[in-house]
Amino acid sequence: MFRLTIHTAFAAAHNLINYQGDCENLHGHNWKVEVSVTTNELDKAGLGIDFKILKRETNALLKTLDHKYLNELPPFSEVSPSSENIARYLYHELTKIFGSDKVKVEMVTVWESDFAAASYYE
């Protein structure tokens, strides 16, 4: 089994809902995103998946969040746009793209600072 991981980032504003504290106020982050996929077979070039493809698809998804107020976006109309919920949303959306027998999304980690991250996996 092989695990491939990419790192990327996006910037956006949000406010946490039902939170008692400063983060209930509008604020922003420069989120770092780590996406790991697994595969048990390699192609003719010896790759599980080309990193360029994984980065391209992840960045296309992040473009829908980048420089936005997350609370106004449909994925977060019913749930607070916490790092946990962002990680789960990204995991499910990427699984629609990389959910084959060959390549599977293993985990998505969203860092809201250098010292705090949330991961989602199934």
Side-chain angles (χ1 to χ4, degrees), residues 1-35:
M1 183 70 76
F2 299 92
R3 176 186 298 138
L4 296 95
T5 302
I6 60 144
H7 293 165
T8 187
F10 73 100
H14 74 154
N15 61 286
L16 298 179
I17 305 200
N18 297 318
Y19 181 84
Q20 303 299 313
D22 290 341
C23 292
E24 197 162 27
N25 298 320
L26 178 64
H27 64 284
H29 296 283
N30 292 316
W31 275 283
K32 296 175 192 167
V33 177
E34 181 178 306
V35 176

Side-chain angles (χ1 to χ4, degrees), residues 4-118:
L4 296 95
T5 302
I6 60 144
H7 293 165
T8 187
F10 73 100
H14 74 154
N15 61 286
L16 298 179
I17 305 200
N18 297 318
Y19 181 84
Q20 303 299 313
D22 290 341
C23 292
E24 197 162 27
N25 298 320
L26 178 64
H27 64 284
H29 296 283
N30 292 316
W31 275 283
K32 296 175 192 167
V33 177
E34 181 178 306
V35 176
S36 294
V37 298
T38 59
T39 183
N40 58 9
E41 57 183 80
L42 303 179
D43 64 15
K44 292 177 188 175
L47 305 175
I49 184 172
D50 191 330
F51 285 125
K52 284 193 281 188
I53 294 169
L54 187 53
K55 287 178 189 176
R56 181 186 69 220
E57 296 299 328
T58 301
N59 286 332
L61 178 57
L62 293 181
K63 199 172 205 180
T64 67
L65 306 178
D66 192 45
H67 285 82
K68 301 284 187 341
Y69 175 42
L70 300 180
N71 296 66
E72 293 181 342
L73 300 179
F76 306 107
S77 62
E78 301 287 324
V79 298
S80 188
S82 63
S83 294
E84 294 87 342
N85 284 327
I86 295 167
R88 178 173 48 194
Y89 166 72
L90 295 173
Y91 177 94
H92 287 143
E93 292 301 305
L94 290 168
T95 295
K96 293 175 186 176
I97 300 165
F98 301 111
S100 70
D101 289 336
K102 183 180 177 214
V103 176
K104 294 186 181 196
V105 178
E106 179 186 46
M107 183 165 53
V108 174
T109 300
V110 174
W111 294 83
E112 69 174 38
S113 75
D114 288 339
F115 308 104

